[in-house]
Amino acid sequence: QGNLSFHATKNGEKQYVNNQFRLSGDWSESMARQEGTNPSLQNFEQPFFLMENKLNFIAKRKSGHYAIRSFLRFQNQPQEVRFSNGDSLVQTQERDKKLFYTVNDIQMNYSFKNSEVSLNVGFKIETNRIRSMMDGVPEYLDDYTTASLWNYFQAGVFVTPTYRYNGKGYYLTLGVPLVWQKTDAERKGSDEQAFNHFMAIPTARFYWKLNRFWEFMASGSYWRSPTS
């Protein structure tokens, strides 16, 4: 097992940077043996690999600030099982799982008088692949090979404009997040399924501080999202 991490931070008057990197690996191997009239030997290999990076950057401007956020993750889990009858290899089963995920966005804020305007733009990508295969020659069957494959892909783009008005003891926030998403799913032996979705989610929030004992808050939103 091994781990490597790196953490860098810069906190200046007009800029803030925080980056975290992690690399991890693990190798697991085990064996099981059966003695007697029908001896058998089983070997298991289960390595694991992970890489992650997280970035957060903020910069100030005269009339506002902007921020950049990024997250990336890659994971790989190849596995193998070998069965033997003591003298020769009888069966081998492999299973491989790979995952990739990233989400990145930039947010810009501008302030003038009693108002604030912000715009958030970003995208995300996710892929997931699972593969398994088994080869073997059992005594009671003819030669055969079994395999399965499952692929999943999702990509999305989001844009969120927001407006906020700050009054004396109250504020009003209006936003309209816009989301486009594409999803592809494929399984061996089945037809590929593809979906494209667009969503608009208008939201509103009102806050009013009446006095030090009483506060009033109301919020609402509307959206229509596809089923899973």
Side-chain angles (χ1 to χ4, degrees):
Q1 182 179 6
N3 295 280
L4 176 65
S5 61
F6 173 77
H7 187 188
T9 302
K10 178 184 178 182
N11 194 358
E13 182 179 354
K14 294 185 178 181
Q15 290 185 352
Y16 171 79
V17 182
N18 186 350
N19 191 87
Q20 301 177 28
F21 175 80
R22 180 164 69 105
L23 186 65
S24 178
D26 185 18
W27 182 274
S28 176
E29 185 174 355
S30 60
M31 182 183 66
R33 181 188 299 272
Q34 178 179 324
E35 303 289 350
T37 55
N38 296 312
S40 65
L41 181 65
Q42 302 175 14
N43 292 277
F44 304 89
E45 294 181 0
Q46 298 175 305
F48 174 81
F49 174 78
L50 172 67
M51 183 183 68
E52 279 186 355
N53 192 78
K54 184 177 181 180
L55 171 66
N56 189 13
F57 174 79
I58 302 175
K60 294 181 180 180
R61 304 180 64 179
K62 291 183 179 181
S63 58
H65 69 275
Y66 67 94
I68 299 175
R69 291 172 296 231
S70 175
F71 178 78
L72 183 146
R73 177 186 178 97
F74 174 74
Q75 178 179 316
N76 187 19
Q77 291 179 272
Q79 301 176 357
E80 183 178 87
V81 182
R82 296 187 300 273
F83 302 90
S84 63
N85 58 9
D87 297 327
S88 60
L89 186 66
V90 177
Q91 283 183 317
T92 300
Q93 183 174 4
E94 298 178 0
R95 185 179 185 272
D96 182 68
K97 181 179 180 180
K98 292 182 179 180
L99 170 67
F100 174 80
Y101 176 80
T102 182
V103 56
N104 308 271
D105 72 291
I106 178 171
Q107 182 175 348
M108 296 165 285
N109 293 71
Y110 298 93
S111 302
F112 52 95
K113 294 184 179 180
N114 296 330
S115 299
E116 297 179 18
V117 177
S118 66
L119 179 65
N120 181 258
V121 181
F123 69 93
K124 72 172 185 177
I125 299 175
E126 178 180 355
T127 63
N128 199 335
R129 182 177 185 270
I130 300 177
R131 180 188 64 89
S132 65
M133 181 177 63
M134 181 168 63
D135 299 319
V137 189
E139 296 179 356
Y140 52 88
L141 291 177
D142 296 331
D143 294 352
Y144 73 97
T145 300
T146 60
S148 65
L149 179 64
W150 187 82
N151 282 318
Y152 173 83
F153 171 82
Q154 187 178 80
V157 178
F158 51 91
V159 179
T160 307
T162 306
Y163 171 78
R164 171 167 169 160
Y165 180 81
N166 298 305
K168 188 176 181 181
Y170 71 91
Y171 67 82
L172 174 66
T173 303
L174 302 174
V176 186
L178 306 173
V179 181
W180 174 81
Q181 185 171 288
K182 176 181 175 61
T183 303
D184 290 335
E186 181 183 7
R187 187 175 182 179
K188 186 176 181 179
S190 302
D191 295 334
E192 180 180 1
Q193 296 180 340
F195 307 94
N196 288 278
H197 304 295
F198 175 79
M199 294 177 289
I201 312 172
T203 61
R205 179 185 178 94
F206 178 74
Y207 172 83
W208 184 18
K209 186 175 180 61
L210 302 174
N211 51 53
R212 61 178 182 174
F213 300 107
W214 294 93
E215 297 178 351
F216 175 79
M217 183 177 63
S219 63
S221 62
Y222 175 80
W223 75 90
R224 296 180 63 185
S225 61
T227 57
S228 300

